[in-house]
Amino acid sequence: MAKTITARYLETPDGVVDYPRIRVGDDGIVLSIEGGEAGTETGETVLTSSFLDIHIHGAMSHDVMEASASGFAEMERFLATCGVGHYLPTTVTAPVDETLQAMERIARHIEATSHSAADGHAIPVGIHLEGPFLSHIKRGVHNEADLQKPDIALFDRFQEAARGQIRLMTIAPETPGALELIEHATAQGVRVSMGHTNALASEARAAIAAGASSATHTFNAMRAVDHREPGIVGVVLTDPELFAELICDGIHVAPEMVAVFARCKNIDRVILVTDGMSATGMPDGTYRLGNFDVQVREGHATARGVLAGSVITLDKAVANFARFTGTPIRSMARAASHNPAKMLGLQERIAIAPGRPANFNRLSKDGTLIETILCGKTVAERVESIAAV
């Protein structure tokens, strides 16, 4: 028997629907979407698409470089409680053989995973290759000994091991051979993001001309802005077509700089990510990121004296972004759903339309996640151990 989902607002790629009435069939597929009239919904809740996290290394003590099938399943159940319906397992720089093995394992998991989220799991929709083609100067926590010069043959080995599942690659555009690799990867349909980079503004623009379409965790592991050489950040903030990730935990980027970012950047090109690591959802302690240990204390994840990912969840990042910028939550939510899907060319996967799975998040006026609905079914409430930053 069909059921009806209502709210005060429904945020779609085409705009906001007031007082929506969404009919959902027993199979979890949307039958119809109609706008209603005032008084049909007394609350101020907002319905959005379930989130898509394109930059996440792990959660619940599981790291994607090492996770087993059961580890992935536990992580994906947790992500669903945080509003995430789809995600890109993200690698970290490691020896080539370890990366190849990780690619094979992640690809097997993606192929074995149902494309339906009816069982309350987030669904992996590809791989984000972060490293090894990064800047030595701006490598962050990535192991310097394992960094590689951009190399088309090596990228092809990674993609072959991943059975074509690499959808996004982070690269430092100023490194020798980067532009050629950007052109090569883009021609295969892989989206390229500029990150862990000391690029000048001219080098960033050259990468965009070669096909780069996004920037990885803006401000972090990037050349700082200078009034005479704005560098890559200046390009990220002023290029109206370039997508840009942001880690909005209040640690990686100060709230004031988040506000600056929001004033400069077209909201339709903002992508909120977590850069979450295996400690996400867990208490303070020592956890793994790839093949090294990370210490987590009071929301800070560090290794080798620098930040090593985060422990924020994507629903918290959305709420923070709205709070730091004073923007209505119904506008901010697209930065964690429609925008990353558009950048990856996966709009169909999270489309809000009849005939598509009923995957929604219900948010309060202040951005608190109230309910996640995947294929028409409410996901169990989140565990109390989720880190809130």
Side-chain angles (χ1 to χ4, degrees):
M1 183 176 179
K3 69 176 182 179
T4 301
I5 300 172
T6 64
R8 174 62 182 86
Y9 304 101
L10 170 65
E11 173 66 32
T12 78
D14 301 318
V16 175
V17 177
D18 287 323
Y19 303 104
R21 296 179 58 82
I22 305 167
R23 293 182 63 246
V24 181
D26 291 340
D27 57 358
I29 301 300
V30 174
L31 299 175
S32 64
I33 300 175
E34 298 177 351
E37 297 179 356
T40 59
E41 172 67 29
T42 57
E44 282 290 309
T45 62
V46 179
L47 286 174
T48 73
S49 289
S50 61
F51 298 144
L52 166 58
D53 194 344
I54 65 170
H55 192 153
I56 180 167
H57 299 279
M60 298 300 288
S61 277
H62 301 290
D63 183 276
V64 304
M65 295 288 287
E66 304 174 339
S68 63
S70 61
F72 273 114
E74 185 176 3
M75 181 175 75
E76 289 160 0
R77 284 192 295 269
F78 170 80
L79 292 179
T81 69
C82 305
V84 177
H86 302 88
Y87 75 107
L88 294 185
T90 304
T91 64
V92 67
T93 301
V96 169
D97 287 346
E98 289 184 19
T99 302
L100 291 169
Q101 292 169 11
M103 289 288 166
E104 292 174 354
R105 189 181 338 98
I106 298 170
R108 283 197 302 270
H109 176 67
I110 293 172
E111 292 168 353
T113 301
S114 167
H115 291 289
S116 167
D119 57 357
H121 287 226
I123 302 300
V125 291
I127 297 170
H128 178 175
L129 179 68
E130 188 186 20
F133 309 123
L134 311 177
S135 163
H136 285 258
I137 297 173
K138 295 295 183 180
R139 65 185 181 278
V141 77
H142 292 256
N143 187 11
E144 184 173 21
D146 296 321
L147 295 178
Q148 302 285 335
K149 294 180 180 179
D151 183 88
I152 290 174
L154 180 55
F155 169 81
D156 286 346
R157 288 179 65 193
F158 290 147
Q159 185 68 299
E160 182 179 3
R163 295 198 276 279
Q165 294 289 352
I166 298 175
R167 285 191 176 272
L168 178 64
M169 174 179 65
T170 290
I171 190 171
E174 74 278 13
T175 52
L179 298 183
E180 292 80 3
L181 180 51
I182 291 171
E183 291 177 350
H184 176 78
T186 300
Q188 294 186 10
V190 176
R191 301 306 195 263
V192 175
S193 186
M194 300 178 290
H196 285 278
T197 170
N198 199 40
L200 302 173
S202 59
E203 293 167 327
R205 287 192 291 268
I208 294 170
S213 57
S214 187
T216 298
H217 44 51
T218 303
F219 301 116
N220 300 121
M222 284 185 174
R223 172 187 284 268
V225 173
D226 181 86
H227 62 292
R228 291 194 177 92
E229 174 46 71
I232 183 171
V233 171
V235 174
V236 171
L237 295 179
T238 57
D239 188 309
E241 298 301 317
L242 188 72
F243 288 92
E245 293 180 7
L246 191 75
I247 305 170
C248 200
D249 59 358
I251 296 170
H252 281 75
V253 181
E256 295 86 353
M257 286 305 296
V258 172
V260 170
F261 175 86
R263 292 180 184 182
C264 294
K265 201 69 189 163
N266 177 357
I267 184 58
D268 289 333
R269 290 296 185 269
V270 173
I271 297 178
L272 296 179
V273 299
T274 61
D275 199 7
M277 47 86 62
S278 62
T280 306
M282 302 298 292
D284 287 356
T286 300
Y287 298 88
R288 299 287 283 177
L289 177 58
N291 58 10
F292 56 89
D293 287 340
V294 176
Q295 286 69 49
V296 177
R297 183 177 180 183
E298 297 180 350
H300 292 71
T302 59
R304 303 167 182 161
V306 296
L307 288 172
S310 86
V311 294
I312 196 167
T313 55
L314 200 48
D315 61 310
K316 296 291 186 183
V318 170
N320 282 348
F321 196 60
R323 180 162 56 90
F324 294 166
T325 62
T327 306
I329 191 66
R330 61 181 183 271
S331 300
M332 294 300 96
R334 69 172 48 248
S337 55
H338 303 304
N339 296 357
K342 184 174 182 180
M343 189 273 289
L344 293 174
L346 294 177
Q347 298 97 313
E348 184 68 17
R349 291 298 296 267
I350 70 163
I352 297 176
R356 299 300 304 161
N359 295 336
F360 299 101
N361 287 329
R362 185 186 300 276
L363 306 173
S364 69
K365 189 176 182 179
D366 67 359
T368 300
L369 179 63
I370 299 171
E371 178 186 29
T372 295
I373 301 168
L374 296 179
C375 285
K377 298 180 181 179
T378 298
V379 174
E381 291 183 3
R382 63 164 61 219
V383 294
E384 291 300 322
S385 63
I386 294 176
V389 179

